[in-house]
Amino acid sequence: MRSFNGQQKQLLVLLTPATLFLSVFFLGPLLIMAVSSFLEPGLYGGVEWSFYPWSYGRVLGWADGFYEEFDIVYLEILLRSAGLALATVAVTLLLCYPVAFWISRMPSRWKSFCIFMIALPFFSSMIIRLYAWILILRDSGFANQILLSLGIIAEPLDLMYSGTAVILGMVYIFVPFMFLPVYSSVENLDPKLIKASQDLGATPFTTFRRVIFPMTLPGVIAGSILVFIPALGNFVVPSMLGGAKVVMIGNLVEQQFLASRNWPFGATLSMIMILFMLLVVSFYLLKVMKKQHAA
Amino acid sequence: MAVSDPTPDFLKIKNAFRHFATPEGGSVRALDGINLNVASNEFITLLGPSGCGKTTLLNIIAGFERLDSGSILLGGSSLLELPAHQRPVNTVFQSYALFPHLNIGDNVGYGLDVAGVAKKERNRRVSEALEMVGLSGVEKRRPSQLSGGQQQRVALARAIINRPKMLLLDEPLSALDRNLRSKMQIELKNLQSELGICFLFVTHDQEEALTMSDRIVVLNGGKIEQLGTPDEIYHRPASRFVTEFIGESNIFSGRVLESTPEFSRVDLGGAEVICNNPTLSAGEQVSLLIRPEHFHLKAADEPSSSRGLTAVLEQSVFIGRDHQLHCRMGNGQEVSALIRSSFKALQAGQPLTLEYDPAAWHVIPERERVNEVI
C-alpha cells in the first residue's frame, strides 16, 4: 500500500469524522430503509424477511389485487405535498428577496441586528411557535377577533385546517432557510455592477433582469432547495395546522410507522419521496445551469 | 477624420454645491461652489487628494449622486433632471465593474443590447470597439480569464460603444502596474483624440494628470485650487497647496531686499537669491518655489557666479538617470536638487553650489486655504 503524503494525511484527518458520522447515521438508516421497503410487513409492525414488491405496487400501480391494491391517492398526496412545498418556496422567496436588499443597504450595526431578528424565532421550540399560530388562526383566535371587531367579516373565517394555514405555518418556519442564502448573495453583489448597468442605459427593471437577478441566482437556488426539501417531507406543520384535511406525504409516512404499523410501506413511501426530490432538484439545477450558461 | 468642430462650453458646471453628513454629526463640503466649463473635445482631469470632491463631481455628472444646488449643462441642456440611464455619458469604473456572469462580447455589447440594437449591427460594433482598444477576438472569454490590463480595455470598449458625448473615467489606471499604466496613458490620450469627445478623468496621481490632460482642475476641499494646462499647473502653481501637491518642490519664505524691472533680490534668511519677477516690491514677504531639477551643479573650473545657493550635501540618492541630492543650507534649511548622474561621485558632507536660472523661481501667491467643516 502506498504511503500518504502530508496533504493527503491532513485531508484524511479532516474528513474522517464527517465520513464516519454520515456513514453511521445517514447511509446506514437509508440502507435499512431501502431494504425494508422490499420486505413483507410483519403482522404487528417490523418486517418479515421475504421479498415483497407490492408496497411499491400500491403506489405505482402493479398491485395484483390479492396482496395489495393500487390506489392513486398516494401519488395525489405526493403531488399535493410538492405543490404545497413549491408554494412555500415561492412565498418565502417573495418575502425574503426584497428584505435581503433592504437589509444589505443598512449600516452594518443594523444589518447584524436585523439578521439576528430573523434568526430569533429559532431560539424557541417549533411546536410552541406552531401552537401560537393555532391561537392566531383558530375560530376564536386573534385573527378572527380582529377582523370581527373591525367589522370586516360577520362570521369567523375557517382559517385553521386548510392548505393556506399549512403554507402559512411552513413559510413561517422556513423563512430563515430562504433568507440567509439569498441575503449572502445579495450582500456579495457589487453595487458598482448596478451602477455600470444604469450607466450603459439600462432601466432599473432591465438592470434587475440582466444583472441583479442572474448575479443573485445562486442564492435563490440554494434557498429554494433548502426550503423545498424539508417542506416536502414536513409532517409537523400539516398535522398541527392542517389537521386531518391536509394530509401530506410526511404525515402518511408517519402514520404507516406509528399507526398502521406497516413499516415496509412507510419505507416505500419514503424512498419514493426521496427519488422524487432528487428528480425535481436535479431537473431544476440542470435547467438553471443551462440558462446561466446560455446567458 | 470625421470629428465635428469642438464646442467650447460643452459641459457647463455652475455654482455646484454638495455636502455630506459625517458620522460625528458634522457636515463636509464635498463640492463648495464649483464653476467649470469644458470643451467638447477636451481631455480634462480632476486632480486632488482623496476627499477633495473629484469623485463626487464625477458621480454627479454620471447621475449616481445628486447636487444640493447649482446646475450642470451638457451641450446646452440640463443633465440633472435625467436619471443615470438616460444621460449621454458613460463611465469607466475604478475596479472596471465588468459583469462577471457575461462573456466579454456581452459585456461590451451590453449598452447596445439594452437599447435593442439589431444583432448584426451589434456584433459589428462590439468587434469594432474591441479593436479600438486593441483587444480583438476575445468575445467568448469571461472577464475572470483576462488580465487586469485586458479587463481595463474591455471596460473602455464597453463605455465607448454607446457613443457617449462624454466619457467619465474614475481612476481607471490605478490598479495597473507602472509600465502598463504609462502605456495605457498614451493609448487613452490617443483614443480621446480619435473619438473627438470629451474625457473627464479623475485621478489622485499628478504624474498621470500631467501626462494626459489638455487641462487640469486641481481640487482641494471641494474648491478649485487651480485650473490650467499641465504646464501652467507645474510651472506656475497658483497656491501653496498646488505647489506641494504637484511634483517635488523647494519652497522658501523670504523678504524682498531690492526690486528692479529686471530682477529682484530676495533674502531667504541668511542666503540671497536673484529672481526675475518684476511684480515684487522691496520689503515684501514672499514664498518662492524652485523645482529640484532647475538646479545644476557648477563644475570646479567654471567661474563662480552670484546665482547659486551654497549648501552642504547630506545624502545623494541614485535614481537611474538622475541623482537626487538632499542638501542643507547655511541657515539650516533643506534643499533638494535633481541633477544628471555623472561618473564623479559626490561625497556626503561636501559643500556644493547649486546654480539656478533667475527665471526658474516662481512666486507662490499667498492664498492659504483651510478645509471648512460646518
Side-chain angles (χ1 to χ4, degrees):
Chain A
M1 197 179 135
R2 72 197 182 90
S3 59
F4 294 108
N5 65 28
Q7 212 184 353
Q8 283 170 322
K9 269 183 200 156
Q10 259 183 8
L11 210 64
L12 207 67
V13 171
L14 289 172
L15 290 182
T16 303
T19 311
L20 282 178
F21 182 87
L22 286 179
S23 337
V24 174
F25 294 105
F26 173 72
L27 277 183
L30 192 67
L31 208 70
I32 292 173
M33 214 170 61
V35 172
S36 303
S37 68
F38 288 103
L39 296 178
E40 196 180 333
L43 202 51
Y44 307 103
V47 291
E48 298 289 334
W49 282 91
S50 59
F51 180 67
Y52 188 84
W54 311 115
S55 296
Y56 282 96
R58 251 174 106 173
V59 183
L60 303 172
W62 58 76
D64 61 347
F66 176 69
Y67 291 100
E68 302 280 2
E69 277 195 47
F70 165 67
D71 197 334
I72 193 78
V73 77
Y74 304 116
L75 284 178
E76 278 173 8
I77 290 174
L78 181 66
L79 284 179
R80 189 198 308 150
S81 305
L84 282 173
L86 272 180
T88 308
V89 167
V91 176
T92 47
L93 182 61
L94 282 176
L95 282 177
C96 292
Y97 203 79
V99 174
F101 266 92
W102 185 57
I103 292 179
S104 75
R105 288 179 184 193
M106 286 184 173
S108 56
R109 287 179 296 180
W110 285 103
K111 272 186 201 172
S112 320
F113 176 73
C114 286
I115 293 168
F116 175 73
M117 290 307 282
I118 283 171
L120 194 64
F122 273 134
F123 285 65
S124 65
S125 151
M126 185 171 85
I127 305 290
I128 293 174
R129 284 182 286 140
L130 286 175
Y131 271 115
W133 273 106
I134 294 179
L135 290 182
I136 294 169
L137 295 177
R138 66 182 176 176
D139 288 358
S140 57
F142 296 130
N144 273 318
Q145 276 178 19
I146 290 170
L147 290 174
L148 282 171
S149 65
L150 288 175
I152 296 171
I153 51 170
E155 277 172 40
L157 290 175
D158 221 3
L159 296 174
M160 280 290 289
Y161 309 124
S162 64
T164 319
V166 173
I167 292 175
L168 207 63
M170 290 216 289
V171 165
Y172 172 68
I173 299 288
F174 292 121
V175 149
F177 292 91
M178 180 62 86
F179 179 79
L180 293 174
V182 167
Y183 174 77
S184 93
S185 70
V186 166
E187 174 77 5
N188 284 332
L189 177 67
D190 184 356
K192 278 230 171 97
L193 297 178
I194 299 172
K195 279 190 181 181
S197 169
Q198 287 179 334
D199 188 72
L200 292 164
T203 59
F205 176 72
T206 309
T207 300
F208 179 79
R209 194 170 59 85
R210 286 184 179 256
V211 177
I212 300 175
F213 189 70
M215 293 291 303
T216 51
L217 196 57
V220 172
I221 294 170
S224 303
I225 291 173
L226 282 180
V227 171
F228 181 76
I229 291 176
L232 182 60
N234 195 294
F235 65 92
V236 181
V237 179
S239 66
M240 287 181 73
L241 301 179
K245 275 198 217 160
V246 190
V247 174
M248 283 181 65
I249 187 86
N251 304 91
L252 199 62
V253 172
E254 182 208 8
Q255 280 167 17
Q256 294 312 313
F257 279 99
L258 300 182
S260 311
R261 295 190 177 260
N262 190 340
W263 291 13
F265 190 54
T268 303
L269 288 170
S270 299
M271 292 308 291
I272 290 173
M273 183 170 78
I274 291 172
L275 290 174
F276 177 73
M277 268 183 207
L278 278 176
L279 215 72
V280 170
V281 170
S282 45
F283 179 74
Y284 179 60
L285 281 179
L286 217 74
K287 207 169 164 184
V288 162
M289 280 197 285
K290 234 188 205 162
K291 203 173 170 184
Q292 217 174 9
H293 203 74
Chain B
M1 212 162 12
V3 174
S4 53
D5 285 340
T7 320
D9 293 342
F10 184 63
L11 175 73
K12 280 176 104 157
I13 302 173
K14 259 181 106 175
N15 291 324
F17 283 90
R18 175 79 169 118
H19 72 88
F20 290 110
T22 61
E24 295 83 37
S27 163
V28 175
R29 285 186 189 171
L31 297 182
D32 195 3
I34 299 288
N35 284 292
L36 181 66
N37 289 345
V38 183
S40 62
N41 63 344
E42 198 169 12
F43 196 121
I44 192 145
T45 299
L46 303 179
L47 174 66
S50 52
C52 71
K54 56 190 193 294
T55 303
T56 305
L57 187 55
L58 180 132
N59 280 336
I60 287 170
I61 297 172
F64 303 135
E65 262 175 48
R66 57 180 184 81
L67 209 53
D68 288 340
S69 64
S71 66
I72 297 179
L73 301 179
L74 189 79
S77 54
S78 176
L79 265 192
L80 299 177
E81 286 74 39
L82 296 175
H85 67 269
Q86 288 175 8
R87 298 193 181 191
V89 298
N90 285 123
T91 310
V92 179
F93 293 88
Q94 186 169 12
S95 48
Y96 319 139
L98 298 180
F99 303 121
H101 61 297
L102 300 180
N103 66 26
I104 300 305
D106 290 340
N107 260 284
V108 175
Y110 190 87
L112 301 178
D113 289 340
V114 300
V117 173
K119 199 93 193 151
K120 210 173 153 190
E121 158 93 349
R122 178 248 194 216
N123 288 341
R124 186 183 59 74
R125 276 168 70 180
V126 166
S127 55
E128 193 182 271
L130 280 171
E131 200 176 314
M132 241 177 152
V133 297
L135 201 68
S136 294
V138 295
E139 279 95 332
K140 287 280 164 277
R141 286 206 244 163
R142 294 258 158 183
S144 56
Q145 294 171 308
L146 300 187
S147 70
Q150 289 172 319
Q151 289 185 31
Q152 174 60 74
R153 286 162 201 268
V154 174
L156 256 175
R158 187 179 70 171
I160 60 172
I161 200 161
N162 277 5
R163 297 175 184 152
K165 293 183 178 166
M166 183 173 176
L167 192 68
L168 309 172
L169 302 107
D170 185 9
E171 310 218 11
L173 306 180
S174 58
L176 303 180
D177 66 61
R178 202 186 159 80
N179 285 335
L180 195 55
R181 205 150 83 196
S182 9
K183 199 174 156 211
M184 283 302 290
Q185 284 171 8
I186 297 163
E187 286 187 22
L188 268 181
K189 182 73 191 145
N190 290 342
L191 185 67
Q192 188 258 336
S193 41
E194 202 174 322
L195 292 170
I197 62 169
C198 170
F199 275 32
L200 186 110
F201 190 91
V202 162
T203 185
H204 63 268
D205 185 332
Q206 38 115 353
E207 223 179 280
E208 210 165 85
L210 294 171
T211 311
M212 292 187 287
S213 320
D214 291 325
R215 282 194 302 161
I216 297 174
V217 184
V218 184
L219 286 167
N220 183 31
K223 288 185 171 158
I224 296 182
E225 284 276 340
Q226 188 172 4
L227 169 61
T229 63
D231 193 65
E232 282 164 2
I233 300 274
Y234 188 79
H235 291 295
R236 293 192 294 284
S239 69
R240 199 172 176 110
F241 174 82
V242 178
T243 315
E244 281 167 354
F245 194 73
I246 311 282
E248 297 282 312
S249 54
N250 293 298
I251 300 170
F252 300 99
S253 39
R255 199 168 58 83
V256 181
L257 296 174
E258 184 195 348
S259 186
T260 67
E262 285 80 36
F263 68 93
S264 302
R265 280 196 304 128
V266 181
D267 174 37
L268 305 181
E272 225 180 270
V273 293
I274 309 282
C275 61
N276 285 356
N277 198 310
T279 63
L280 298 176
S281 50
E284 194 183 346
Q285 288 290 336
V286 291
S287 293
L288 289 180
L289 157 75
I290 188 161
R291 299 283 181 195
E293 67 270 22
H294 290 154
F295 284 123
H296 48 268
L297 283 184
K298 191 176 69 68
D301 51 355
E302 277 180 62
S304 80
S305 77
S306 56
R307 286 159 187 191
L309 282 176
T310 48
V312 174
L313 180 65
E314 293 201 321
Q315 199 189 12
S316 164
V317 184
F318 181 60
I319 51 169
R321 201 188 56 195
D322 296 317
H323 263 94
Q324 198 161 26
L325 306 183
H326 297 281
C327 313
R328 198 170 290 278
M329 284 160 46
N331 61 9
Q333 243 186 317
E334 277 180 51
V335 53
S336 71
L338 200 65
I339 58 152
R340 198 47 71 85
S341 296
S342 73
F343 301 113
K344 284 175 279 181
L346 292 165
Q347 301 294 324
Q350 185 180 341
L352 298 171
T353 300
L354 302 169
E355 291 220 310
Y356 57 83
D357 183 332
W361 292 93
H362 171 69
V363 179
I364 305 165
E366 286 301 338
R367 188 159 59 92
E368 279 304 323
R369 200 160 258 158
V370 191
N371 276 3
E372 292 138 281
V373 176
I374 45 171

